[in-house]
Amino acid sequence: MQGIAPLSLSKDTVGPMVHSVQDAALLHAIIHGQTSGTVQPLSLKGVRLGVIRALEGRDPQQLAVWHDAIATLRRHGATIVDIDLPILSELAKATCLSLSEFRVGFDVWIQQHPGAPEGLRGIVASGQFLPEFMPLLTRMLASERLKTPEWFAGRQLRRRLQQALGQVAEQGRLDGFLYPTVSRVPDSLEKMPPGCGPELAAISGFAAITLPCGRTQTGFPVGLEMLSCAGDESSLLALAAACETAFSLG
């Protein structure tokens, strides 16, 4: 996180945005100070992938591409398992941890920069921010400390999500979970509204990678996100490389 302004102490994650899985593996290794190497794609034969149907959304254009992508993985040998995660209904209603954590983390970070405004309150007082963020910033200013009942509840929900994903993965002998990167195709190239991304990786702390898996009839790309409960991210990258190859072959 060095050099990065914090948003959420519990959820912030640094990861590469690149053109291919091989490039992701290369930059991932550089970030971690590791020796870089070529990712060897796994065979999808025998791989078990859990599809979280509740996160598929209702966008007909995206669903058409998504279902084709899942069918492609099946053709290349993957076993697709439908997954039910009851805890998702709680996540949808929960207050985002960043509302409790942003001011505390940001104020500490900005103090390290001479000449910068005096914390979040100083920035709001200066008016140097996009007006659309005023309601959000007002809520964040009210969070002067972390250890509140709301913060503890968010942290407990995070642990229960980790446990739920781990148990389902173990019981189903799953190599990874699949779901669309966002719940719907954007209307334009403007900023997507909040809530479109499931944030399973950010909340749980498990590693995930997003792959393009096709385009809609109107030309928008559709993303497939894969999450792994394994501690070693190299296995996730190898699995992603296998999926990337499958999508390129059709």
Side-chain angles (χ1 to χ4, degrees), residues 8-9 17 59 72 80 85 134 160 171 179 215 233:
S8 173
L9 302 175
M17 297 179 66
D59 187 316
T72 296
I80 303 298
L85 278 177
M134 189 62 202
R160 288 195 289 116
Q171 292 169 0
Y179 45 89
R215 289 182 177 271
E233 292 172 333

Side-chain angles (χ1 to χ4, degrees), residues 156-167:
Q156 290 168 358
L157 180 59
R158 173 186 172 89
R159 286 192 291 272
R160 288 195 289 116
L161 175 61
Q162 291 172 337
Q163 293 168 355
L165 288 168
Q167 288 172 359

Side-chain angles (χ1 to χ4, degrees), residues 50-68:
V51 176
I52 304 177
R53 297 294 181 184
L55 297 179
E56 288 185 329
R58 299 179 180 178
D59 187 316
Q61 286 196 56
Q62 174 160 288
L63 283 173
V65 177
W66 171 254
H67 290 150
D68 283 347

Side-chain angles (χ1 to χ4, degrees), residues 11 18 26 44 49 60 64 87 93 98 103 139 172 198 202 204 209 221 227 245:
K11 295 167 54 182
V18 291
L26 172 61
L44 287 177
L49 299 172
I87 197 172
K93 300 173 185 176
S98 62
R103 181 182 178 182
R139 292 185 65 183
S204 69
I209 186 169
L227 180 143
T245 299

Side-chain angles (χ1 to χ4, degrees), residues 126-241:
S126 71
Q128 299 298 305
F129 59 89
L130 294 175
E132 65 193 80
F133 288 106
M134 189 62 202
L136 186 61
L137 291 172
T138 299
R139 292 185 65 183
M140 289 175 165
L141 279 175
S143 299
E144 298 182 356
R145 59 190 180 90
L146 285 183
K147 297 182 179 181
T148 63
E150 188 176 63
W151 181 79
F152 278 118
R155 295 286 295 184
Q156 290 168 358
L157 180 59
R158 173 186 172 89
R159 286 192 291 272
R160 288 195 289 116
L161 175 61
Q162 291 172 337
Q163 293 168 355
L165 288 168
Q167 288 172 359
V168 171
E170 183 178 0
Q171 292 169 0
R173 294 178 289 111
L174 301 178
D175 297 286
F177 293 94
L178 301 181
Y179 45 89
T181 306
V182 291
S183 60
R184 64 179 179 83
V185 174
D187 298 321
S188 68
L189 294 180
E190 297 296 323
K191 181 181 177 182
M192 289 284 279
C196 288
E199 294 194 6
L200 280 195
I203 297 173
S204 69
F206 291 132
I209 186 169
T210 287
L211 299 171
C213 63
R215 289 182 177 271
T216 65
Q217 292 182 344
T218 53
F220 278 102
V222 173
L224 174 148
E225 187 159 297
M226 181 185 304
L227 180 143
S228 171
C229 297
D232 182 9
E233 292 172 333
S234 61
S235 60
L236 176 62
L237 288 165
L239 186 55

